[in-house]
Amino acid sequence: MLKAFLTGDELDGKELNYLLELAELFKLKKFDFKPLKGKKIVLLFQKPSTRTRVSMEVGINELGGYSIYLSQSETQWSRGESMADTAKTLSLFFDAIGARVIEHKDLEDLAENAKVPVINALSNRYHPLQMLADLFTIKELKGKIKGIKIAWIGDGNNVCNSLILGASKLGSHLIISSPKGYEPSKEIIEKAITYSKRSLGSIKLIDEPKEAVKNADIIYTDSFISMGMEREAEERLKAFLPKYQVNSELLSLAKKNVSFLHCLPAFRGREVTGEVIDGDKSEVWRQAENRLHTFKAFLCYIFLKKKKLDNLFKKVS
Ligand code: CP
Ligand code: NVA
């Protein structure tokens, strides 16, 4: 069983592909399958959420499990109880812990001390559940991930980091276009170079967005001011705007059938114009829906034995 899913890097290319196929079953075939019967999962959130929380709650419920949502302010964590003690306590009551934290280190402490799997529901550094939905959406739209050119425009943030880790294992061509000082971390880029060599993909950093989107199949952006970075708002907007905004002009430089992705929430007029996110190339609602299907696949993956999963495949595909 996967002990923790903190970055997205815990899964190799084969496992990712398997999960995406499983998610396809959940999306395309409506079947009554309750493998989580009797399983209890706690969702411990330190920051707001719309999509992650609801996809997790609905997904757990649809698979027959039971979830409890705890915001940090309602727990003793808000009064300084350590992550270690929190993890030990929650492990007594639950079969898994989903957590959204400000500092990734808190998630690592949680995982180190928990006796049950810990699932990252977003940290300042990674967003692996989002990555599963992103890869699934790209495959759904383009028929494959290998060879697909993904242009990430803007902040090299948590969503970008996990996407890079996953997409580079599946052979996509990643182009990252961020202002100086806002690129994804060196460690992630180095990993992606190694993974891309194996998967026959590639990763490049190109400062100029107009250059980066040339021939792109996918253009992806995220907020320039992530949760917790509000204090840096002014300097960030100065660094990103107007150059890194995804607008119609930028879109017109990509492939004709380019698709626009955004993990949401979006801030129209900043990282993307309303014309683009509400336009015909935008696939953000498909992407948001896919959070549910991929999370259900992920839950089965962590709770079911491989043999049981293979049987499920045979039965419904
Ligand atoms: N994409 C995403 O994680 O959205 P929420 O912050 O609404 O969960
Ligand atoms: N990068 C954004 C993602 C929100 C889902 C943030 O961390 O706020």
Side-chain angles (χ1 to χ4, degrees):
M1 191 196 263
L2 207 57
K3 175 74 184 72
F5 191 53
L6 303 190
T7 65
D9 207 17
E10 296 84 354
L11 300 174
D12 63 23
K14 209 169 143 205
E15 290 168 316
L16 282 170
N17 273 324
Y18 189 83
L19 251 161
L20 299 184
E21 280 178 39
L22 200 56
E24 200 178 334
L25 282 189
F26 277 117
K27 183 160 188 178
L28 301 179
K29 315 228 172 192
K30 304 268 177 244
F31 53 94
D32 197 33
F33 179 51
K34 307 278 184 213
L36 257 65
K37 211 159 177 255
K39 300 268 185 239
K40 301 178 284 296
I41 301 179
V42 62
L43 306 176
L44 178 63
F45 277 48
Q46 197 181 16
K47 303 197 236 188
S49 167
T50 301
R51 282 141 290 267
T52 306
R53 178 179 174 183
V54 297
S55 60
M56 292 179 96
E57 290 202 30
V58 172
I60 293 164
N61 193 278
E62 285 187 4
L63 293 180
Y66 174 81
S67 68
I68 281 190
Y69 175 83
L70 283 180
S71 74
Q72 185 205 19
S73 62
E74 292 165 297
T75 67
Q76 297 291 4
W77 177 18
S78 68
R79 297 181 55 244
E81 187 168 27
S82 70
M83 293 319 285
D85 290 357
T86 305
K88 285 174 194 160
T89 306
L90 294 176
S91 301
L92 301 170
F93 295 88
F94 295 98
D95 299 287
I97 302 169
R100 171 167 283 201
V101 301
I102 296 172
E103 290 298 330
H104 190 72
K105 174 79 175 68
D106 280 341
L107 208 61
E108 289 173 341
D109 289 347
L110 205 57
E112 208 171 293
N113 291 281
K115 300 223 163 12
V116 296
V118 172
I119 306 161
N120 182 357
L122 181 143
S123 70
N124 58 330
R125 291 183 53 202
Y126 300 99
H127 198 2
L129 293 177
Q130 181 68 50
M131 174 268 280
L132 297 179
D134 296 344
L135 294 179
F136 183 83
T137 307
I138 292 168
K139 189 175 168 204
E140 198 177 33
L141 289 168
K142 307 296 170 190
K144 57 182 183 171
I145 295 171
K146 206 177 190 64
I148 293 300
K149 182 169 172 183
I150 305 168
W152 177 279
I153 308 297
D155 195 11
N157 61 13
N158 44 7
V159 173
C160 180
N161 284 340
S162 288
L163 179 70
I164 290 176
L165 290 172
S168 62
K169 286 177 186 165
L170 298 184
S172 63
H173 299 301
L174 282 154
I175 311 287
I176 312 293
S177 185
S178 310
K180 278 228 154 23
Y182 296 96
E183 303 94 342
S185 74
K186 266 211 173 89
E187 180 201 337
I188 303 275
I189 300 292
E190 273 161 22
K191 279 189 178 190
I193 291 172
T194 308
Y195 298 154
S196 296
K197 273 186 194 145
R198 272 184 234 144
S199 68
L200 304 181
S202 62
I203 181 159
K204 262 193 221 153
L205 270 72
I206 296 181
D207 169 62
E208 177 51 58
K210 288 183 183 151
E211 193 59 37
V213 300
K214 269 191 193 152
N215 253 323
D217 299 287
I218 300 284
I219 295 179
Y220 196 148
T221 191
D222 183 14
S223 168
F224 294 153
I225 306 160
S226 281
M227 288 180 275
M229 294 179 179
E230 292 76 10
R231 264 179 295 142
E232 299 170 23
E234 206 181 323
E235 87 195 67
R236 283 181 159 263
L237 292 181
K238 230 187 255 162
F240 286 98
L241 287 173
K243 187 170 164 184
Y244 293 88
Q245 182 184 72
V246 179
N247 51 33
S248 299
E249 192 202 339
L250 202 65
L251 220 66
S252 72
L253 302 173
K255 274 195 184 150
K256 262 208 160 66
N257 67 342
V258 66
S259 301
F260 171 75
L261 298 185
H262 190 311
C263 58
L264 304 176
F267 298 87
R268 288 168 176 75
R270 287 187 181 173
E271 74 272 11
V272 61
T273 57
E275 214 180 359
V276 167
I277 195 166
D278 301 315
D280 62 353
K281 304 287 187 203
S282 175
E283 296 288 351
V284 299
W285 305 115
R286 176 195 295 271
Q287 190 184 2
E289 181 195 322
N290 287 338
R291 292 293 305 271
L292 174 66
H293 311 301
T294 48
F295 183 60
K296 283 168 77 177
F298 176 76
L299 283 174
C300 290
Y301 192 77
I302 60 168
F303 282 118
L304 293 186
K305 295 235 156 37
K306 173 91 167 49
K307 209 162 159 205
K308 213 160 176 198
L309 278 178
D310 287 341
N311 283 340
L312 175 75
F313 258 114
K314 271 190 223 132
K315 233 173 48 199
V316 293
S317 50

